[in-house]
Amino acid sequence: MAEPVRVRRLTDQEGRKLQQIVRRGSTSSVRYRRAMMLLASAGGNTVPVIARLVAADEDTVREVIHRFNEIGLAALDPQWAGGRPRLLSPDDETFVVATAATRPAKLGQPFTRWSIRKLAAYLRKVPGRTISISREALRCLLARHGVTFQRTRTWKESTDPDYDAKLERIEHVLRHFPGRVFAFDEFGPLGIRPTGGAGWARKGRPDRLPATYRRTHGITYFHGCYSVGDDTLWGINRRRKGIDHTWAALRSIRAARPDGAPIYVILDNLSAHKNWRIRTWARKNKVELCFTPTYASWANPIEAHFGPLRQFTIAGSDHPNHVVQTRALHAYLRWRNANARHPDVLAAQRRERARVRSEKGIRFGGRLLPRAA
């Protein structure tokens, strides 16, 4: 029997980037859907489950996973083709890319960063090597070589001494006991304010939401539980995170498998999840708590399902209070669980079927990638 198609083990940077795209959305719907596919696969979801999650064809999901295993995060960007032959030589393109990656001050220019207009003007006046290129062609050239306009950001490297052991344990239970694996996490904070979104409307007449509101309602957190084997998501809204609320969620998970056999719950390292009373209760009730490594909450399978939750219940909403917001969220959960295997969802596939790759993909967790120094 062939091995199921899964992504290789994610690095810290890859996991956080995919989690950021899924949680915050992306200007590109292609990147958003592909990131959701990869994060769901890293969480142990099978190809059919992922296809239903993103309303895509299973072959498309397999192609994205195979391509990510080959080239990494570059698989998020579509490869468009066409157009007239390039007018610049490879040496000219290399020079343009090197110039764009060099601070203008080092080249004698009186500013700290390039704009497309300033860079194009500078290239036309380079002594001995004049390069005439339009701003749009310059933008496309830089994008083709992976050079984009970016802001300086900070990053975190996991210092957890048990990093590999925790990931291997999560991978083991997802692979061998999927029907007894659950995931738990808090989603929020959820405030009461108008939130922009997207939807169908007549051209030039999009829906409008008020930009003014008063912060008089406080916040809530959705305490979500996800059954990997049943592909079922449920939870409850709370005013805060706390030990008692975590305990209540774990009891609901234990009740989902009342046969008394061991179950496995994947959750992050929030202090409310690691209290000694919760650990003692878990041991007595045959509940193994599988904690994600520090700064690696992307390894939790429930993360891939929080993106649609935000997109379909929070984005484009203007709930008057938390009661209405909670009802809308739970109504979506009921619809989501009832339609997880609906034939209409399975039929919503792309018009063009993707080509099935012949080469064998890297097995999930089968090869470790070098950690960043």
Side-chain angles (χ1 to χ4, degrees):
M1 182 176 179
E3 286 285 342
V5 177
R6 291 181 177 176
V7 299
R8 56 169 170 76
R9 178 181 295 178
L10 303 179
T11 63
D12 280 349
Q13 292 80 2
E14 292 172 342
R16 279 191 290 271
K17 182 63 177 178
L18 294 175
Q19 182 184 19
Q20 178 186 28
I21 294 175
V22 170
R23 280 208 167 192
R24 300 182 182 179
S26 171
T27 56
S28 170
S29 60
V30 176
R31 286 174 58 85
Y32 178 81
R33 297 178 76 232
R34 291 185 179 184
M36 197 183 303
M37 295 177 192
L38 298 174
L39 196 59
S41 180
N45 291 277
T46 61
V47 169
V49 171
I50 300 173
R52 292 191 293 270
L53 175 66
V54 300
D57 182 67
E58 294 182 12
D59 294 336
T60 301
V61 177
R62 294 188 182 95
E63 182 182 13
V64 172
I65 293 175
H66 283 308
R67 187 163 180 78
F68 175 83
N69 289 339
E70 294 174 358
I71 63 176
L73 291 176
L76 296 178
D77 299 312
Q79 299 297 317
W80 309 120
R84 69 175 182 173
R86 300 173 185 173
L87 301 180
L88 299 182
S89 66
D91 290 340
D92 290 337
E93 292 192 1
T94 301
F95 176 77
V96 171
V97 171
T99 303
T102 303
R103 285 186 173 272
K106 293 183 178 180
L107 300 176
Q109 301 301 306
F111 31 84
T112 59
R113 68 183 187 186
W114 295 111
S115 67
I116 291 293
R117 187 186 299 274
K118 289 184 173 65
L119 181 58
Y122 173 81
L123 293 172
R124 286 194 294 269
K125 298 178 181 179
V126 175
R129 191 167 193 169
T130 301
I131 297 178
S132 180
I133 185 173
S134 69
R135 296 197 298 271
E136 184 60 28
L138 177 57
R139 184 181 293 108
C140 293
L141 187 152
L142 295 178
R144 189 165 61 250
H145 287 271
V147 179
T148 58
F149 191 79
Q150 304 176 23
R151 295 184 181 275
T152 302
R153 297 181 180 274
T154 59
W155 58 277
K156 293 181 180 179
E157 178 73 19
S158 178
T159 57
D160 196 330
D162 299 325
Y163 177 89
D164 291 323
K166 289 180 178 179
L167 281 185
E168 288 173 1
R169 184 55 182 168
I170 292 174
E171 294 168 6
H172 177 79
V173 298
L174 286 172
R175 183 182 300 112
H176 294 91
F177 313 106
R180 295 196 163 273
V181 177
F182 298 83
F184 169 73
D185 198 7
E186 293 88 358
F187 173 66
L190 303 177
I192 299 301
R193 61 183 181 87
T195 305
W200 295 102
R202 291 188 177 276
K203 186 176 181 180
R205 296 181 178 273
D207 290 339
R208 301 292 185 182
L209 294 176
T212 56
Y213 64 96
R214 299 183 63 186
R215 297 178 181 269
T216 59
H217 300 275
I219 60 174
T220 61
Y221 294 90
F222 174 70
H223 290 60
C225 306
Y226 175 65
S227 173
V228 175
D230 297 336
D231 188 25
T232 303
L233 181 66
W234 75 95
I236 190 172
N237 283 42
R238 304 283 192 179
R239 283 288 182 178
R240 60 178 176 83
K241 301 178 184 180
I243 298 172
D244 51 342
H245 298 155
T246 300
W247 204 345
L250 292 178
R251 288 198 298 269
S252 74
I253 292 176
R254 177 70 270 187
R257 293 293 185 272
D259 54 5
I263 61 173
Y264 309 88
V265 181
I266 302 173
L267 62 172
D268 61 26
N269 292 274
L270 185 69
S271 59
H273 301 168
K274 307 176 72 172
N275 181 267
W276 66 270
R277 289 176 291 177
I278 291 180
R279 290 176 179 268
T280 302
W281 175 88
R283 286 193 297 269
K284 291 181 179 179
N285 291 271
K286 297 182 180 181
V287 177
E288 180 179 338
L289 304 179
C290 302
F291 294 102
T292 61
T294 306
Y295 304 140
S297 60
W298 49 264
N300 194 331
I302 201 174
E303 288 292 341
H305 300 271
F306 280 160
L309 197 64
R310 181 183 298 276
Q311 180 179 0
F312 293 115
T313 63
I314 304 300
S317 68
D318 186 14
H319 301 302
N321 52 57
H322 280 297
V323 175
V324 176
Q325 184 186 67
T326 301
R327 288 175 180 172
L329 190 148
H330 285 197
Y332 169 77
L333 290 180
R334 289 191 295 270
W335 178 91
R336 183 246 182 236
N337 293 332
N339 291 273
R341 295 175 175 82
H342 196 280
D344 291 341
V345 177
L346 301 178
Q349 57 186 6
R350 294 187 175 181
R351 295 183 178 180
E352 297 182 2
R353 294 177 59 87
R355 175 176 62 89
V356 179
R357 295 182 176 270
S358 59
E359 62 271 16
K360 182 179 180 181
I362 301 175
R363 182 166 57 88
F364 178 62
R367 185 174 69 185
L368 293 176
L369 297 179
R371 298 275 299 282

